[in-house]
Amino acid sequence: MKNNQFSILLALLVGSIGLFSSPAAHAYPDFIGYGYSSCVTCHYNSLGGGALNDYGRALFATEITARDVFSASKDEEEIGAQSGFLGSTQLPWWIRPGLKYRGLWLKMDPGSQATTERFINMQNDVNITAFADKKQKYALVSTISYTGQEPYFGKTNTWFAREYYARIKMSNNYWLYIGQMDKAYGIRNIDHTAVNRRAITLGQYDQSLGAILHVTYPDWDIAFNYFTGNQAEDEPVRQKGFSAVGEYQVHEGLKVGGSVLSSKNDSTEWNLVAGTMRIGLSKGSSIIAEAGLKQKKDLSTNSDPELGSYAWVETLLNLRRGYNFLTIFEHSKNTIKEPSPESMRLSAGFLFFPLPRIEFRAMATNAKTYTETAGVPDAWALQGQVHVSY
């Protein structure tokens, strides 16, 4: 398969991004169901992800989290005032620290003789955001992480700098970021194993050194990203390239957009293109989706590139404040023009925020792989997650 087919698709989407755009949210893009579709409302990074700002902490405590542990006489303003790093104690204007932990209990093939069970410390982060002025126009943002048993480019049980960048607020509409950070592409959901994350070079540790220009207006946003690879990797394997991401608000509660990415190292070239949609339903409920094409070329053999596809759809149904039912559907195919395995995964379960700073997930997952030559048994899994954000 030749590059011209992908080039045509890439050109079409770049054109559409030029007409309308806005970067998709990181971590909880589902919260468009609460009426919050712009990441800059709650995050220091206007593209989403990373530490929450003061307003984001208060909003999470007073609107997203259940209030069962609070007395009826305690008003939301008082709850919000206690959401800071030190509770209601004010920190100096120039510093905002944060701590994040995420752990996963995973049981594969439950009920079978081949069942396995383990607990994974997935995320151990220390966030530090420092400001040069009280209006927070100039900021330095850093995240220091600990690997545990999950390797970080071959290293385990060690601390490392996962992201570090300078943020410059040039105006209310223009933001500039310089440093190592997440690439600007697609919907940055928290599941780094999803088909729209790690499988297409956008995993948990795929931050890249570069620069991002983010232009944001009430109805549309666009971000352009030039990157030179993760500095923890050896030079020959660093993916270098560019990306762009955008969204347009069709009307309140509905955003559509697109993303493009092109990068390569000494052995592999990637080209990605995707469309995204986020729909806010009743308060707290939403549907978000990303579907795209992924082209991978082995440069060492100079073989024809493989053009595959992927799709990811997440539905969040709010049961009551702090308690949600969550479903995720994923589809992936490495080659769309030739016979190749086709993978699908369906996950369903519950997402709870029972206490301030605490999140619980309980999910069941069924994965299927279809081939033209043989059947593959379904793979079942049970998982539970705990997330502490301080």
Side-chain angles (χ1 to χ4, degrees):
M1 185 175 300
K2 303 300 181 184
N3 279 321
N4 63 326
Q5 292 174 315
F6 189 88
S7 298
I8 293 172
L9 290 169
L10 187 66
L12 288 173
L13 190 60
V14 167
S16 68
I17 288 178
L19 293 174
F20 56 85
S21 357
S22 138
H26 186 359
Y28 299 105
D30 321 73
F31 288 170
I32 190 172
Y34 288 93
Y36 303 105
S37 59
S38 177
C39 308
V40 71
T41 304
C42 298
H43 292 271
Y44 289 119
N45 189 325
S46 59
L47 284 155
L52 293 172
N53 56 33
D54 293 348
Y55 183 81
R57 283 175 173 267
L59 186 149
F60 204 92
T62 59
E63 193 160 356
I64 310 301
T65 304
R67 60 165 296 151
D68 300 335
V69 298
F70 298 107
S71 65
S73 61
K74 195 165 192 175
D75 61 32
E76 301 292 357
E77 186 175 346
E78 187 177 357
I79 295 173
Q82 296 176 345
S83 63
F85 184 75
L86 297 178
S88 57
T89 301
Q90 292 292 316
L91 291 172
W93 61 265
W94 53 270
I95 187 74
R96 289 295 184 270
L99 301 173
K100 285 184 179 291
Y101 169 80
R102 189 178 292 272
L104 169 69
W105 169 80
L106 179 64
K107 187 177 182 69
M108 300 296 298
D109 300 314
S112 73
Q113 294 183 344
T115 186
T116 60
E117 183 177 339
R118 63 176 178 151
F119 189 87
I120 306 168
N121 293 309
M122 296 191 300
Q123 184 178 12
N124 310 273
D125 290 351
V126 178
N127 307 113
I128 300 175
T129 302
F131 303 101
D133 63 304
K134 290 186 177 181
K135 292 186 177 181
Q136 300 185 354
K137 288 185 176 181
Y138 306 97
L140 292 175
V141 181
S142 62
T143 299
I144 310 300
S145 301
Y146 185 77
T147 62
Q149 293 300 313
E150 297 300 304
Y152 178 72
F153 300 112
K155 299 178 181 179
T156 58
N157 298 305
T158 186
W159 290 95
F160 62 96
R162 186 163 65 86
E163 65 176 3
Y164 44 88
Y165 58 88
R167 185 199 76 175
I168 302 172
K169 181 181 179 182
M170 296 183 288
S171 71
N172 289 333
N173 305 113
Y174 288 83
W175 304 74
L176 179 64
Y177 302 87
I178 301 173
Q180 180 156 296
M181 52 203 156
D182 289 324
K183 300 167 192 170
Y185 181 91
I187 296 178
R188 299 178 183 176
N189 69 87
I190 63 170
D191 183 4
H192 60 273
T193 68
V195 295
N196 61 340
R197 292 291 309 278
R198 185 172 62 189
I200 55 174
T201 73
L202 300 168
Q204 183 179 12
Y205 298 144
D206 284 328
Q207 291 77 30
S208 190
L209 184 68
I212 294 177
L213 175 64
H214 180 200
V215 183
T216 173
Y217 283 88
D219 292 335
W220 62 271
D221 292 55
I222 189 166
F224 301 98
N225 184 192
Y226 171 75
F227 53 87
T228 60
N230 192 301
Q231 298 307 290
E233 293 181 292
D234 293 333
E235 179 68 27
V237 297
R238 294 177 186 172
Q239 284 285 328
K240 302 176 182 180
F242 71 91
S243 66
V245 59
E247 264 185 336
Y248 174 72
Q249 182 166 299
V250 179
H251 59 75
E252 186 177 358
L254 173 60
K255 282 200 164 187
V256 297
S259 300
V260 294
L261 183 148
S262 181
S263 69
K264 65 179 180 179
N265 57 24
D266 288 358
S267 60
T268 308
E269 179 180 349
W270 282 92
N271 290 291
L272 308 173
V273 60
T276 60
M277 179 178 66
R278 294 190 290 143
I279 305 173
L281 304 174
S282 58
K283 184 173 183 179
S285 300
S286 63
I287 299 174
I288 57 177
E290 177 178 332
L293 298 175
K294 52 181 181 178
Q295 185 189 72
K296 183 179 180 181
K297 180 177 175 62
D298 187 343
L299 299 177
S300 62
T301 62
N302 200 33
S303 57
D304 287 341
E306 291 185 341
L307 180 61
S309 63
Y310 71 93
W312 174 88
V313 181
E314 181 169 296
T315 302
L316 187 71
L317 176 63
N318 182 248
L319 305 176
R320 70 180 182 91
R321 178 169 158 177
Y323 298 89
N324 308 274
F325 181 71
L326 179 67
T327 63
I328 305 170
F329 173 77
E330 301 174 66
H331 178 274
S332 180
K333 189 173 175 64
N334 289 334
T335 305
I336 61 176
K337 290 293 186 179
E338 302 172 8
S340 68
E342 186 174 359
S343 301
M344 291 192 292
R345 183 167 66 172
L346 177 64
S347 303
F350 297 95
L351 171 62
F352 295 157
F353 303 98
L355 300 167
R357 313 175 194 273
I358 303 293
E359 169 197 331
F360 291 115
R361 290 183 182 228
M363 305 286 288
T365 298
N366 173 251
K368 298 177 181 289
T369 301
Y370 298 96
T371 68
E372 290 195 348
T373 58
V376 179
D378 288 8
W380 287 89
L382 298 175
Q383 60 175 271
Q385 288 189 38
V386 58
H387 179 202
V388 181
S389 182
Y390 210 86

